[in-house]
Every structure is written in C-alpha cells, then in structure tokens.
Amino acid sequence: MSTTRPYSPGDRGPEHSGASGASEGGVPVTGASAAAAGRQARRLSFDGESGVVPLARDFTRQALYAWGWLPADSADRRAAAEDVLLVVSELVTNACLHAEGPDELWISCDRKVVRLEVSDRGTGQPEPRTPHRAGRPGGHGMFIVQRLCLDWGVVRSPGVAGKTVWAELAAPA
C-alpha cells in the first residue's frame, strides 16, 4: 500500500535548495551538506524533450555508472541497478499516461538508499490497482514500484500545481 507520508521514515525530505549535490542537466556539483552526508544527486529536466522514458533510463544508467553501481560485479548489484531502472521507467511512464508528462527527475543516492523523484503537473493520486490482475495488460506500474521499493509516496506543495512521486530502493551492499 502506498504511504501518505511525504518522506520515508528517517528521511529529511528533498534537499532541492542547492545543497543537494545536483544541478541543471544532471551534472553533479559539490555541496558541503551533500558531501558530509555521502549523498550524491542528479537532476534531469524534461522541458521540451520527447522520448522521455528512454531519456530517463539513459540518464539514470549514466548516474549509476558514475556512482559505481555499474558495471555490476555481482548478480545482486546488477539486480539492484535493474530495479532502479525499472522503477524510473514506471514512474516516468505513469507521469506520461496520467499527468500530462513529467517535469523533472531527481536521483539521489547515499550508502544505503537511492531515492527517485518524478515531478509532474497532474492532480491524480497514483496507487496500485486493486485487485492486481497479473495476467492482464496495463495497471502494473505502481504495483511494481510497491513491490521493488522500500517505500514510496507523493509530495504536494501548497499553492503549486502538480506533485512529486518519490520512491526509495536499497543501495547494493
């Protein structure tokens, strides 16, 4: 079941104030608080882009290479990277299908958790379809997110249109 908490237990929330270790276009920058926490982050804007799902996967794959997740040296590390790529695909696809497309993707990682955030202008509330029908096409995205992630949820800012759907996965050991 999805959480209504804007952040997972123990999370300080998004650090989009410039100290997150990320900048426009996914180019990492250094920030004192990000470095102290061992957190790395990247941001991708989808403004004016087409083919956003493959773009998001490629962007995420590049971040995973930069952070040492890829190339994977074990089956567990490879599976962890594939799970991250799948969840990114599902969150971005959901924004395309149900929310006029995504605005941006934030990816952040520390030693324990990778956090994915996809913002859009949609008003809907994502949730797994109940009952889940494994043999039927469609309706599997949030079910997959729920199964693969430690936690996920939705953040809405008062006075701002849209939402941010976030998900957290365990970093490989």
Side-chain angles (χ1 to χ4, degrees):
M1 177 178 237
S2 72
T3 180
T4 56
R5 290 187 313 271
Y7 312 109
S8 62
D11 187 11
R12 296 178 311 277
E15 299 175 11
H16 296 199
S17 64
S20 68
S23 70
E24 299 282 332
V27 179
V29 296
T30 58
S33 65
R39 181 171 292 277
Q40 304 175 78
R42 297 201 174 198
R43 176 188 173 272
L44 173 64
S45 173
F46 294 107
D47 189 35
E49 298 288 345
S50 61
V52 295
V53 175
L55 179 65
R57 285 181 62 89
D58 290 344
F59 172 79
T60 303
R61 188 177 294 108
Q62 291 171 6
L64 295 177
Y65 269 101
W67 297 339
W69 287 46
L70 293 172
D73 57 2
S74 70
D76 287 343
R77 290 182 71 83
R78 186 170 31 263
E82 289 172 0
D83 288 351
V84 169
L85 293 169
L86 178 55
V87 171
V88 163
S89 295
E90 294 300 339
L91 295 179
V92 173
T93 297
N94 257 13
C96 291
L97 293 175
H98 306 292
E100 304 171 26
D103 291 331
E104 63 183 28
L105 166 65
W106 278 87
I107 306 169
S108 61
C109 179
D110 61 22
R111 291 175 197 88
K112 295 181 181 179
V113 174
V114 64
R115 182 176 176 102
L116 310 169
E117 300 180 24
V118 175
S119 63
D120 62 53
R121 293 187 198 105
T123 58
Q125 180 73 16
E127 59 185 69
R129 287 193 186 162
T130 305
H132 179 253
R133 294 189 169 106
R136 303 189 77 183
H140 304 288
M142 293 313 294
F143 179 78
I144 291 169
V145 170
Q146 179 178 304
R147 294 291 301 250
L148 293 178
C149 294
L150 298 170
D151 202 2
W152 69 276
V154 177
V155 177
R156 295 186 190 276
S157 298
V160 178
K163 64 187 171 298
T164 298
V165 181
W166 61 266
E168 293 182 336
L169 296 94

